[in-house]
Amino acid sequence: MSVLLNKPIEYLKGVGPIKGELLNKELQIFTVRDLIYSFPFRYIDKTKFTSISEVSQSGEQVLLRAFLVSLKEVKGQKQRRLVGKLKDASGFLEVVWFKGASWVLKNLEEGKEYVVYGRVNVYKGKKSIPHPEMELVSQSKGVKSSLDPVYSSTEKLNNRGLDSAARKRLIKAVFDELDLDEIPESLPEYLAKKLDLVSKKQAIKYIHLPSSLHEVSKATKRLKFEELFYLQLSILYSKRRRQARIKGAMFEKIGDHFNNYYKNHIPFELTGAQKRVVKEIRKDVQTGYQMNRLLQGDVGSGKTMVALLSMLIALDNGFQACMMAPTEILAQQHHQSLSESLKETEIKVAFLSGSIKGKARKVILENLANGELDIIVGTHALIQDPVIFHNLGLAVIDEQHRFGVEQRSKLWKKNEVVAPHILVMTATPIPRTLAMTAYGDLDVSIIDELPPGRKPVKTIHMKESQRYRVIEFMRTELKKGRQVYVVFPLIEESETLDLENLQEGYERLQDIFRQPDFQISVVHGRMKSADKDLEMQRFVEKKTQIMVATTVIEVGVNVPNASIMVIENTERFGLSQLHQLRGRVGRGAEQSYCILMSGLKLSNEGKERIHTMTSTNDGFKIAEADLRLRGPGQIMGKQQSGVMKFQLANLVEDQTLIKSARSIAMRILDHDPTLENEHNEILKKQLKHYFSEHQDWGRIS
Ligand code: ADP
Ligand code: MG
């Protein structure tokens, strides 16, 4: 036990109780150990100074070495500000503070030479740097390195003089006193050796006090690997433990149900990808372990057929199967298409949702419990308490986004003897590395091939000024008998405004298409679900030709005759949402179109999203772009983001490292499932520690 590392941060020289409490609160730094385990987020290369005359562009980040020739408070029209004048051999430049003046005045001194870092602002030809980081040249020389670490800070910390430079000095002082051997090693030697990783103590030292970029990269590689590796090890370890604990339904054979359907009733030849996935599932369900599989496949890739075949295997082995969808209308569609597919067989299929009541409900529940029913399709009514299965062997969940872990586990309990296998299907591809982390405990199957003969949807970007052309195009297609979706964005915080938009759009369309043959449906989130379903149904039955909607139609509805998707205010939609919406068309034989409407002015990100949409139909490419643009936290939502918080690693940039961390963790567990081997002692210890710190995982698995 290191005395220094365990020391509460307030006892460190130069900290004290007030700053100590701030560090606790703002950065969760409680001990000296926490301080040195909080890494810099970038470095300034101090060998590369810019001279003032070279500074030219707004937004440019520069490092200067200059004298502070004056420092004065200036009264502007609105507010006071503090203005400093910098001078180097090439010229002058201003630095400006709009707040925190007293601290600056106390800490900076006219006439001294500073290392200045900041973002340049050029206004009417005049260059300045607002709120620069400044440090005396003499002081920064004290840190023996040309690379200057920059630590994250907060306004409160800055105001108390605990900015990045002060952090750096604290850390420097700690390293002066610290015996490096007090930093315990956290990876087994054989791993470090094999992967050519520096030791933990070296890494920690290099990351704070590097003398070259080479050292920074050695340190980050080691520390990133460690972060990713322990995450993977913990995921895979829990998964194995779960498998060992939970017995799964055993599907030993392929029997009459499957064979009869496959030989006599299947309406098309499976794509190669569908065949492969059916094999993967088949392999899973005959191990005696519970399957937890995520099936990813773009909209229209034919996931339902894979689900159906899997359910038939369950029936062949004397089990029941169920299929759950997030909305009533989707569940109904699944029920209809399954019943249609199975109408020439003996298999009994039923539907259950909250809207099935009274006698009908009672009969279904009875038949489910006594084993009369083979397959039940429904909403999450299926996982509620009164629903008892005779012998549930497989549960298929369509569109996983709406089903959390909790609901998944409710399903497991629907069979008290053996756990039913779980197949989660999603049409929103998740980038591989994200799937490995956020859904690391699921096995993943991918359908990466569309059935033959599909005409890819043509996607076009149109500006407001071209609306007339869009309307004419809609009219032409409507006259050919096609149907059209027009989708408006819905953002929670301005729901009223959005509804007005939608209402306006609806009235405008009514004015334009005021002909008896073109009827318009409206569906939005504020409507009662029975009303929504009714409107949807009218559109499905071609009683209406235009569907004006918010994103409620995003999920799964199938209207093959709809061939045009017009998206209004495209810039306000996320990429995966756009991709989902586009998936509503292109389901029939006709050429389909997706028209992305936008205003004239677009942010860079908005442009990139639109560009991505017009240049590819590949859901995985879109998911990757989405991950790049929005980051993992936004994509997965709060629930999963806990497991994706890394200090150094990055799900976008470190894909190779993630894959290697996962495969190494897998190999280690293959050879030593309980980590009993002596050379894995460190792993076991670290893992225990990891589990105690990351309760999210305990919960998820
Ligand atoms: P999704 O993966 O979006 O759920 P579906 O399962 O609804 O896709 O399939 C979309 C359409 O493609 C359906 O009409 C289905 O019958 C058809 N389909 C599925 N697989 C094939 C195939 N191998 N060959 C031809 N059509 C197929
Ligand atoms: Mg589907």
Side-chain angles (χ1 to χ4, degrees):
M1 273 280 166
S2 160
V3 182
L4 177 57
L5 291 182
N6 288 330
K7 198 166 165 177
I9 195 72
E10 59 179 293
Y11 297 136
L12 198 62
K13 195 161 164 278
V15 181
I18 295 174
K19 288 183 181 176
E21 203 185 311
L22 263 181
L23 284 168
N24 294 174
K25 276 198 185 134
E26 298 283 295
L27 298 173
Q28 281 74 53
I29 292 176
F30 295 94
T31 61
V32 171
R33 176 183 292 104
D34 295 337
L35 181 75
I36 66 166
Y37 280 62
S38 307
F39 309 135
F41 66 95
R42 66 179 164 82
Y43 300 83
I44 301 171
D45 187 349
K46 289 205 150 173
T47 56
K48 292 196 183 114
F49 290 106
T50 307
S51 57
I52 288 179
S53 63
E54 286 168 348
V55 173
S56 61
Q57 269 182 321
S58 261
E60 192 182 350
Q61 293 185 38
V62 293
L63 181 73
L64 308 171
R65 189 180 160 143
F67 285 93
L68 180 66
V69 291
S70 68
L71 187 60
K72 282 193 205 72
E73 280 204 82
V74 177
K75 267 200 189 125
Q77 287 144 324
K78 285 189 214 130
Q79 61 182 142
R80 280 142 62 94
R81 59 188 198 275
L82 188 62
V83 178
K85 203 167 194 186
L86 295 178
K87 175 186 181 303
D88 72 359
S90 72
F92 291 94
L93 181 138
E94 273 186 1
V95 280
V96 190
W97 289 266
F98 298 99
K99 42 184 169 184
S102 58
W103 188 82
V104 178
L105 280 169
K106 211 163 68 200
N107 285 276
L108 298 186
E109 210 179 318
E110 288 181 11
K112 292 264 161 76
E113 191 179 20
Y114 286 90
V115 172
V116 183
Y117 182 81
R119 204 180 276 276
V120 179
N121 192 16
V122 183
Y123 183 67
K124 291 190 178 159
K126 195 167 165 186
K127 296 176 262 185
S128 68
I129 301 179
H131 292 261
E133 291 169 22
M134 289 180 62
E135 191 184 12
L136 278 175
V137 166
S138 55
Q139 243 175 31
S140 84
K141 269 185 190 150
V143 182
K144 260 203 245 80
S145 159
S146 54
L147 283 173
D148 209 8
V150 183
Y151 296 90
S152 65
S153 193
T154 67
E155 201 174 322
K156 280 191 187 148
L157 287 170
N158 282 336
N159 290 342
R160 278 277 164 190
L162 266 175
D163 58 357
S164 172
R167 274 270 282 295
K168 197 176 65 191
R169 283 192 293 276
L170 283 180
I171 284 169
K172 172 85 175 40
V174 170
F175 275 98
D176 284 344
E177 203 181 321
L178 183 72
D179 175 2
L180 272 191
D181 286 331
E182 289 185 22
I183 298 177
E185 184 49 57
S186 49
L187 284 176
E189 207 180 310
Y190 74 91
L191 254 187
K193 217 172 191 168
K194 195 166 105 190
L195 297 165
D196 189 26
L197 300 173
V198 296
S199 66
K200 176 78 163 238
K201 57 187 181 196
Q202 241 168 352
I204 297 278
K205 172 132 200 224
Y206 283 168
I207 199 122
H208 291 293
L209 307 168
S211 56
S212 66
L213 276 176
H214 182 65
E215 286 183 358
V216 173
S217 84
K218 282 256 168 209
T220 36
K221 182 180 164 197
R222 148 83 207 214
L223 295 168
K224 274 182 182 179
F225 177 80
E226 186 170 333
E227 268 186 309
L228 296 166
F229 173 73
Y230 278 109
L231 173 62
Q232 290 302 332
L233 193 69
S234 65
I235 294 172
L236 295 167
Y237 186 86
S238 333
K239 181 176 156 189
R240 277 170 190 258
R241 228 177 23 182
R242 191 189 65 220
Q243 285 181 332
R245 226 177 28 223
I246 303 177
K247 239 171 98 222
M250 187 71 160
F251 297 176
E252 281 161 303
K253 59 168 195 248
I254 295 253
D256 291 345
H257 290 302
F258 184 99
N259 287 329
N260 173 38
Y261 182 78
Y262 199 79
K263 285 193 190 112
N264 305 322
H265 303 296
I266 200 164
F268 39 68
E269 163 132 33
L270 294 186
T271 62
Q274 283 170 317
K275 282 184 192 158
R276 177 175 35 90
V277 171
V278 171
K279 263 192 209 137
E280 284 167 359
I281 291 169
R282 165 119 174 80
K283 213 173 129 204
D284 263 12
V285 293
Q286 54 186 345
T287 56
Y289 297 131
Q290 184 201 27
M291 170 177 82
N292 270 281
R293 190 167 278 280
L294 177 68
L295 172 55
Q296 298 192 54
D298 229 328
V299 267
S301 60
K303 294 185 290 295
T304 318
M305 182 50 73
V306 171
L308 170 57
L309 293 173
S310 310
M311 291 196 282
L312 294 178
I313 300 176
L315 305 194
D316 277 341
N317 290 274
F319 289 94
Q320 293 170 306
C322 74
M323 185 159 176
M324 204 156 58
T327 65
E328 172 108 19
I329 187 147
L330 249 184
Q332 267 169 12
Q333 281 195 345
H334 275 314
H335 175 245
Q336 274 161 17
S337 79
L338 276 181
S339 308
E340 177 67 27
S341 303
L342 299 174
K343 68 173 187 252
E344 283 164 42
T345 70
E346 310 270 271
I347 298 169
K348 296 203 183 59
V349 185
F351 175 81
L352 186 72
S353 78
S355 68
I356 309 280
K357 296 197 171 90
K359 180 97 195 296
R361 185 180 191 86
K362 201 165 156 245
V363 171
I364 289 173
L365 290 182
E366 264 171 30
N367 288 340
L368 203 57
N370 67 25
E372 268 300 300
L373 278 173
D374 301 303
I375 294 178
I376 186 140
V377 183
T379 58
H380 47 261
L382 290 181
I383 53 173
Q384 274 149 17
D385 277 342
V387 180
I388 297 167
F389 289 83
H390 175 65
N391 195 4
L392 181 66
L394 169 71
V396 179
I397 303 172
D398 200 11
E399 308 294 350
Q400 111 287 336
H401 276 83
R402 326 259 163 137
F403 285 106
V405 179
E406 213 172 296
Q407 284 148 318
R408 245 203 280 157
S409 70
K410 264 191 183 167
L411 264 174
W412 299 4
K413 293 183 193 124
K414 288 290 173 188
N415 186 331
E416 282 171 2
V417 186
V418 287
H421 299 293
I422 310 274
L423 181 64
V424 180
M425 308 199 291
T426 168
T428 311
I430 303 163
R432 245 172 81 83
T433 50
L434 200 52
M436 281 179 184
T437 36
Y439 291 107
D441 65 326
L442 299 180
D443 293 305
V444 178
S445 286
I446 295 174
I447 304 187
D448 48 7
E449 183 184 351
L450 289 180
R454 287 279 165 79
K455 291 196 186 97
V457 178
K458 286 192 179 151
T459 303
I460 316 155
H461 176 206
M462 285 284 179
K463 303 234 160 130
E464 200 48 52
S465 52
Q466 297 163 299
R467 184 170 288 281
Y468 181 73
R469 280 172 58 190
V470 176
I471 287 165
E472 284 315 299
F473 182 67
M474 283 166 67
R475 197 191 303 279
T476 319
E477 293 291 304
L478 283 165
K479 277 188 183 153
K480 288 187 204 158
R482 318 267 194 272
Q483 286 163 287
V484 178
Y485 292 105
V486 181
V487 178
F488 287 84
L490 187 81
I491 292 178
E492 307 278 332
E493 59 259 37
S494 60
E495 222 174 303
T496 350
L497 192 86
D498 287 316
L499 273 183
E500 276 168 24
N501 269 348
L502 180 116
Q503 190 58 30
E504 240 177 66
Y506 170 63
E507 282 163 17
R508 190 174 60 210
L509 287 166
Q510 269 196 326
D511 281 347
I512 296 167
F513 296 108
R514 205 193 290 279
Q515 281 156 323
D517 1 332
F518 302 147
Q519 300 293 320
I520 306 179
S521 281
V522 185
V523 171
H524 59 76
R526 288 261 184 99
M527 287 163 69
K528 285 204 192 109
S529 75
D531 296 339
K532 270 192 275 194
D533 288 345
L534 196 80
E535 277 298 286
M536 273 315 301
Q537 209 51 45
R538 285 190 343 125
F539 189 64
V540 171
E541 288 162 11
K542 296 193 198 173
K543 289 186 180 140
T544 59
Q545 289 72 44
I546 301 174
M547 163 63 75
V548 177
T550 56
T551 41
V552 289
I553 60 150
E554 187 187 330
V555 173
V557 192
N558 192 22
V559 184
N561 189 52
S563 65
I564 297 186
M565 167 66 64
V566 179
I567 299 176
E568 299 284 349
N569 295 103
T570 305
E571 64 274 22
R572 285 177 56 189
F573 289 90
L575 260 180
S576 66
Q577 230 178 355
L578 290 173
H579 182 62
Q580 283 293 305
L581 286 171
R582 177 166 61 185
R584 298 305 106 217
V585 295
R587 303 185 150 233
E590 307 306 330
Q591 175 62 55
S592 291
Y593 302 86
C594 176
I595 301 172
L596 306 174
M597 299 297 300
S598 81
L600 290 174
K601 271 197 188 155
L602 284 172
S603 67
N604 282 340
E605 202 197 306
K607 271 185 208 153
E608 197 168 333
R609 263 180 275 150
I610 290 177
H611 175 73
T612 307
M613 285 300 291
T614 52
S615 55
T616 182
N617 278 316
D618 181 336
F620 279 92
K621 284 197 184 134
I622 288 168
E624 297 284 348
D626 201 24
L627 177 61
R628 224 176 35 241
L629 288 173
R630 281 197 304 161
Q634 291 294 312
I635 294 183
M636 304 311 300
K638 281 212 185 72
Q639 198 196 359
Q640 254 94 12
S641 60
V643 293
M644 298 179 302
K645 254 186 227 130
F646 301 112
Q647 209 187 152
L648 290 173
N650 177 313
L651 284 176
V652 181
E653 287 158 18
D654 298 318
Q655 311 214 355
T656 324
L657 210 52
I658 293 172
K659 284 174 200 159
S660 95
R662 186 169 174 91
S663 72
I664 289 165
M666 220 177 258
R667 231 175 309 148
I668 289 175
L669 289 173
D670 279 346
H671 288 117
D672 185 11
T674 48
L675 302 175
E676 294 303 320
N677 284 350
E678 209 180 310
H679 63 270
N680 286 330
E681 205 185 313
I682 287 189
L683 295 181
K684 186 151 196 167
K685 197 169 136 227
Q686 290 290 322
L687 197 60
K688 222 171 166 181
H689 182 66
Y690 192 94
F691 279 129
S692 71
E693 289 210 327
H694 297 75
Q695 315 228 313
D696 325 25
W697 263 112
R699 211 190 57 224
I700 287 184
S701 23

